[in-house]
Amino acid sequence: MISVIRSGIEAALNDLDVTSNNIANAKTTGFKKRQATFADIYGNTDAIKMSGARIGMGALTVENRVLSEQGAFQQTGDVLDLAIEGQGLFTLINADQPDEKLYTRDGSFTVNAGGLITNSDGKQLLSALGTQITVPMTANIATSVNGTETSTETRLTGVAIRTDGRIEATYGNNTTFFVGQVGLSMFADANRLTPIGQNYFKENAKSGAGVLGAPIEQGRGKVHSGALEMSNIDMTSELT
């Protein structure tokens, strides 16, 4: 009897931990709600097997699943703030661990001193081709002076990101170059990704390996520049 009560208390505490974590992250950009799932434990002694009965022995936490429903968008006006409308996730790497990929829905990005698109932790955003995305600070623009062709170094004046993830950099008044395309990863079951903290996920056997590609293709979703996806937490249901 004591073991049954104890298993119930442990399951209830886990459920409370999950709910508390959801409430604490209600304002976290791109956060996805967690939900605890449980199963019954049945006795498995020889006597029980002989009788053919199913005797309850308590409850067991099966897993804390991530629910990937779409969150609301918040407009920021910053070109490098990106929100995903669809099922894809941004793919990030550390410069010192390029083979270890992390996934997130938090699209708060910036351009670092080297021209690479990174997040606030310095992790680099991967393109649809699986490469780092660089936005050069200057470009050599061909001009003609008195009939003589010359090249002038021109500074970056603007960046635009389209819904298909294409990144266009403008230099000077009207010279625009394509510099890369934001990549999004899809999974066999994104709800089974392993959360590792700080709004990052890792793939596992249940989620399947991330398949990186271009936005819009195969249901990955559109990329919206100048906005961030907020958490999908419903505070009313969590507090209830």
Side-chain angles (χ1 to χ4, degrees):
M1 178 61 73
I2 296 297
S3 63
V4 174
I5 295 172
R6 181 172 145 189
S7 71
I9 291 173
E10 289 176 349
L13 287 174
N14 178 74
D15 193 31
L16 184 59
D17 286 343
V18 171
T19 301
S20 299
N21 185 61
N22 287 341
I23 292 172
N25 286 282
K27 297 297 183 181
T28 301
T29 303
F31 181 81
K32 296 302 178 185
K33 175 178 178 176
R34 274 62 157 170
Q35 183 180 63
T37 57
F38 304 94
D40 291 323
I41 303 172
Y42 292 101
N44 197 32
T45 65
D46 291 338
I48 293 173
K49 289 179 181 177
M50 289 284 292
S51 67
R54 300 186 73 193
I55 299 176
M57 299 296 290
L60 173 70
T61 301
V62 177
E63 65 177 331
N64 297 326
R65 297 194 66 181
V66 177
L67 303 183
S68 57
E69 287 92 346
Q70 184 79 48
F73 288 176
Q74 178 176 298
Q75 300 299 319
T76 66
D78 190 329
V79 171
L80 289 174
D81 282 344
L82 306 178
I84 302 170
E85 181 187 356
Q87 296 299 310
L89 284 89
F90 298 112
T91 306
L92 308 172
I93 60 167
N94 281 319
D96 54 349
Q97 294 177 305
D99 295 330
E100 184 179 350
K101 295 179 181 177
L102 301 176
Y103 304 94
T104 186
R105 293 280 291 199
D106 184 352
S108 305
F109 296 109
T110 187
V111 176
N112 68 13
L116 291 169
I117 296 181
T118 66
N119 69 1
S120 58
D121 294 332
K123 294 179 173 56
Q124 300 163 6
L125 177 66
L126 291 187
S127 72
L129 299 177
T131 57
Q132 301 162 331
I133 305 173
T134 303
V135 180
M137 295 295 107
T138 61
N140 292 320
I141 308 301
T143 58
S144 178
V145 179
N146 298 324
T148 302
E149 294 293 330
T150 185
S151 179
T152 303
E153 185 176 76
T154 307
R155 294 193 62 80
L156 177 72
T157 55
V159 176
I161 302 178
R162 310 303 178 190
T163 56
D164 64 355
R166 290 174 57 85
I167 304 171
E168 298 171 354
T170 300
Y171 299 86
N173 294 328
N174 55 10
T175 304
T176 300
F177 296 107
F178 167 76
V179 296
Q181 186 174 23
V182 176
L184 298 179
S185 289
M186 288 286 285
F187 298 86
D189 188 353
N191 290 337
R192 298 295 183 92
L193 286 166
T194 303
I196 60 170
Q198 296 182 291
N199 232 352
Y200 298 128
F201 298 92
K202 281 188 175 182
E203 61 192 33
N204 55 54
K206 292 181 179 178
S207 70
V211 181
L212 186 61
I216 300 178
E217 294 179 358
Q218 299 178 343
R220 286 184 174 85
K222 298 178 182 178
V223 172
H224 294 273
S225 175
L228 292 172
E229 181 187 11
M230 305 311 291
S231 76
N232 62 354
I233 299 297
D234 181 347
M235 283 293 288
T236 301
S237 65
E238 295 300 319
L239 290 171
T240 301

